[in-house]
Amino acid sequence: MDHVVHDVLLVGGGGAGLRAALAVAETNPGLSVAVVSKVYPMRSHTVSAEGGAAAVVRPEDSLEAHAYDTISGGDWLCDQDAVEAFVREAPEEMVKLEHWGCPWSREPDGHIATRSFGGMKIERTWYAADKTGFHMLHALFQTTLSYPPIARYDEWFVTRLLVDEGRCQGVVAVELATGKIQALLAKAVIICSGGGGKVFRFTTNANIKTGDGMALAYRAGVPLKDMEFVQYHPTGLPFTGILITEAARSEGGWLLNKDGHRYLQDYDLGTPQPTPVKRSMELGPRDRLSQAFVGESQAGRAVSTPYGDVVHLDVRHLGEAAIDKKIPFVRELCLKYQKIDPVKEMIPVRPVVHYMMGGIQTDLEGATPLQGLFAAGEVACVSINGANRLGSNSLTELLVFGARAGRAAARFAASQADPSTALIAQAVDEERRLHRDFLDGSGGSERVSPLRNELQDALEEGAGIYRNEEGLRLAEERIRGLRDRFRRVGLDDRSRTFNTEFISALELANLLDLAEVILSSALARKESRGAHQRTDHPERDDDEYLAHTMAYRSDEGTPRIEFAPVTITKWPPGERVYGN
């Protein structure tokens, strides 16, 4: 089998992957760095982030305030040492990104413009209109082009981690253009492949978000942490799931039920007033707003549509000039995908799956329990997001922990010998498996698309905004049945060139693993906290469950759940609020 060798290999070409690659190159310019991505880097999902990235910049703000907002917003499940490192390094990373060309919006006097975001008691979200992720990813990608040591494998799909003598030393990947299967060896591997929102049907996530990196690490024996915490964003378009950014509410948008009533005033959002800056109830935490939507729907006060119940997001009172200046992409999305103009009409919205707070267990340097394997970004759980991520923390997390993982991997790689040639035998075994199970099979009776649809339905119905044991058990049973049927999956496309059906089958295998872990973790946590709401256990229980769930893959292939302590430094658990 053909193989190549690099010092550090990045899996994923989005914000975290590119920032990590730059950190490796900056730390040790002599190292060979490669980025493996299943899409061209500028098509990574970071590009779709709209609203902004959080970091302390205003004189009335403080690192302590940012940390407290993050920890209380995460319902006290955040590791506080990680949060402290995050808020401390966030401003430095944001300034560095501007030096690399990110065009942050500015006030008339030249200062960085900031906006309020849900769950934060002060304006600390930097933005570039409402295309923040697009501009961030452009700046990172263009900067990588100035570093000749950073090689790229665009449109390659990683199927397995190569592990020898307890150390990760590379991957097996398929080149989409040719179907070639190859070993890519390295002294250190960093997974930055994003989340797995496509385990649900209604999601803001692109089709590429299938949890590939999480599944790779899980199969290699690395625990997945806090996977029951799946965030719903309260404002997605009802048919497509496309995100209508929180910035629309930050700029003054209202959420209205079918009677035109701003219904959030009727719910406890944990938002005591007054607060240091003018804000609205629409900027409550995402989990609370999504739960309030369920309340309106169950009370018959939502608007019925062919794609389920919706409420309305009203920005008409902002005026055309403000909309075109501050949230132009919102208007563009509504015109293209909903055939409405938000300058004149209200936007139909509903909660949609947006983000995974859980992921691959890492320490503060991005190192996983598997030597030589690192992770950063949404694929990882460091954990700064706890039970509910605050909007605009995630883009900054990509930078802070991408950089940390890159520096740590560079130091690790510099101290290691070349990868073992024994890994080639593992890669050959993986190639045989891919041919036997998919490419050269006789053609099973099952097909990828129906199985994927049923999986998504099972998660939507059993592990949505509200959950209970009966629904979770039923979903678990459905996933077990789907896994059995997946063994009989067949491909109609036997070509090697851009065989998307083959890749979809591999992605479905990853989604099945994620679904099992989410359900097992949710069953193990018999309390309600943040994005995990159990109707049969409606209260938060710090005595029993102020702990991280750790899902390990058992010898039978099913998840084994253990618990690990939450790191508390100076903010003891208290009532969840995010104002004064």
Side-chain angles (χ1 to χ4, degrees):
M1 170 182 280
D2 289 344
H3 70 279
V4 295
V5 180
H6 295 280
D7 292 308
V8 181
L9 190 69
L10 284 296
V11 179
L18 296 181
R19 182 63 189 95
L22 288 167
V24 175
E26 291 173 323
T27 302
N28 190 336
L31 295 178
S32 167
V33 186
V35 177
V36 185
S37 177
K38 74 173 176 179
V39 293
Y40 186 72
M42 279 308 304
R43 294 186 181 276
S44 299
H45 200 55
T46 306
V47 79
S48 68
E50 299 170 31
V56 171
V57 67
R58 297 172 68 94
E60 64 269 28
D61 200 2
S62 69
L63 300 182
E64 182 140 329
H66 190 183
Y68 179 79
D69 286 352
T70 298
I71 292 162
S72 60
D75 224 348
W76 307 99
L77 202 71
C78 309
D79 285 331
Q80 295 180 14
D81 54 348
V83 174
E84 290 182 272
F86 166 68
V87 302
R88 183 176 63 249
E89 296 173 20
E92 303 167 17
E93 286 293 324
M94 301 290 274
V95 171
K96 183 185 285 281
L97 196 63
E98 180 175 57
H99 292 171
W100 286 339
C102 185
W104 300 118
S105 295
R106 292 187 176 274
E107 302 292 356
D109 63 3
H111 284 89
I112 292 291
T114 56
R115 57 172 44 131
S116 299
F117 246 60
M120 296 195 185
K121 66 175 179 287
I122 199 164
E123 293 181 0
R124 67 170 63 95
T125 298
W126 305 31
Y127 60 93
D130 58 351
K131 296 185 179 181
T132 308
F134 173 87
H135 290 297
M136 286 178 63
L137 195 60
H138 262 282
L140 290 166
F141 181 60
Q142 290 167 357
T143 304
T144 64
L145 300 179
S146 66
Y147 285 86
I150 300 178
R152 295 211 321 270
Y153 296 83
D154 296 342
E155 298 184 330
W156 287 64
F157 186 88
V158 175
T159 68
R160 177 176 172 176
L161 298 179
L162 296 174
V163 180
D164 187 47
E165 297 182 347
R167 179 162 66 93
C168 184
Q169 300 184 53
V171 305
V172 177
V174 180
E175 184 180 30
L176 274 62
T178 64
K180 177 182 181 181
I181 301 170
Q182 185 167 319
L184 306 174
L185 307 185
K187 298 175 183 177
V189 175
I190 311 176
I191 298 180
C192 304
S193 56
K198 292 304 290 186
V199 76
F200 291 82
R201 181 181 298 280
F202 289 103
T203 175
T204 66
N205 287 192
N207 286 332
I208 60 173
K209 297 287 286 296
T210 50
D212 309 323
M214 295 178 187
L216 287 170
Y218 176 64
R219 293 174 196 145
V222 178
L224 298 183
K225 180 178 177 181
D226 292 340
M227 289 296 291
E228 66 270 35
F229 296 105
V230 178
Q231 181 173 79
Y232 276 75
H233 195 291
T235 55
L237 294 179
F239 171 57
T240 60
I242 289 172
L243 172 69
I244 298 300
T245 174
E246 199 159 302
R249 289 174 280 127
S250 173
E251 297 301 332
W254 301 331
L255 284 172
L256 309 176
N257 64 18
K258 72 176 185 180
D259 302 318
H261 174 61
R262 289 179 72 184
Y263 61 87
L264 291 172
Q265 61 190 293
D266 304 329
Y267 293 86
D268 176 16
L269 304 177
T271 319
Q273 299 288 338
T275 52
V277 295
K278 183 180 179 181
R279 58 183 301 124
S280 70
M281 66 190 86
E282 277 79 10
L283 287 179
R286 291 173 175 175
D287 57 340
R288 298 279 177 88
L289 265 62
S290 297
Q291 292 154 23
F293 170 88
V294 174
E296 292 300 289
S297 179
Q298 291 178 343
R301 293 189 293 266
V303 179
S304 179
T305 79
Y307 309 109
D309 283 354
V310 303
V311 291
H312 285 126
L313 175 61
D314 191 359
V315 297
R316 295 174 297 176
H317 53 283
L318 302 182
E320 186 171 11
I323 290 171
D324 285 344
K325 179 181 179 181
K326 296 291 188 68
I327 49 173
F329 196 41
V330 167
R331 189 178 190 186
E332 181 181 336
L333 290 171
C334 290
L335 287 167
K336 285 185 175 179
Y337 295 99
Q338 207 66 35
K339 304 300 182 186
I340 63 171
D341 186 349
V343 171
K344 304 171 184 177
E345 302 163 273
M346 294 190 293
I347 308 168
V349 293
R350 55 161 285 174
V352 288
V353 167
H354 184 57
Y355 188 89
M356 290 188 165
M357 274 70 76
I360 301 169
Q361 156 70 2
T362 75
D363 65 15
L364 270 64
E365 305 304 319
T368 75
L370 176 59
Q371 191 178 36
L373 183 66
F374 301 78
E378 189 180 354
V379 75
C381 185
V382 59
S383 146
I384 69 161
N385 297 312
N388 173 64
R389 175 178 70 81
L390 294 192
S392 75
N393 267 352
S394 62
L395 285 179
T396 321
E397 180 186 1
L398 299 177
L399 302 173
V400 171
F401 291 101
R404 279 180 161 249
R407 290 191 292 265
R411 293 191 295 268
F412 180 86
S415 67
Q416 300 299 311
D418 288 339
S420 167
T421 54
L423 298 163
I424 302 302
Q426 291 183 31
V428 170
D429 284 344
E430 175 67 0
E431 182 178 33
R432 289 184 184 130
R433 182 187 76 86
L434 295 175
H435 278 277
R436 179 188 69 242
D437 293 351
F438 301 104
L439 296 171
D440 297 337
S442 58
S445 58
E446 299 285 354
R447 290 298 178 266
V448 172
S449 181
L451 294 178
R452 183 178 59 231
N453 289 341
E454 291 184 45
L455 178 150
Q456 292 170 334
D457 288 343
L459 268 290
E460 289 276 358
E461 294 165 17
I465 294 173
Y466 286 100
R467 306 152 173 194
N468 58 49
E469 180 156 1
E470 181 182 3
L472 290 166
R473 293 285 183 199
L474 179 59
E476 198 174 44
E477 182 179 341
R478 292 173 69 180
I479 297 302
R480 280 197 296 268
L482 291 171
R483 185 174 289 285
D484 289 338
R485 290 167 58 191
F486 181 71
R487 297 187 180 97
R488 302 189 297 276
V489 76
L491 305 184
D492 295 316
D493 186 352
R494 299 307 175 89
S495 69
R496 297 294 184 265
T497 302
F498 287 109
N499 189 333
T500 55
E501 188 182 22
F502 171 45
I503 299 303
S504 294
L506 297 175
E507 291 173 332
L508 178 56
N510 296 336
L511 291 172
L512 284 165
D513 278 348
L514 257 63
E516 284 190 326
V517 171
I518 290 168
L519 293 168
S520 293
S521 300
L523 280 163
R525 184 174 293 278
K526 294 178 172 59
E527 65 159 357
S528 291
R529 185 186 299 266
H532 173 71
Q533 294 292 307
R534 290 276 300 258
T535 57
D536 49 348
H537 298 283
E539 301 299 323
R540 194 178 88 183
D541 184 354
D542 288 344
D543 292 336
E544 292 292 329
Y545 295 104
L546 185 63
H548 298 295
T549 52
M550 309 288 282
Y552 294 84
R553 191 171 189 265
S554 68
D555 293 339
E556 295 76 30
T558 55
R560 184 185 80 254
I561 305 299
E562 298 181 3
F563 288 94
V566 174
T567 301
I568 306 291
T569 58
K570 56 183 178 182
W571 292 280
E575 182 184 358
R576 183 182 170 196
V577 298
Y578 67 97
N580 277 357

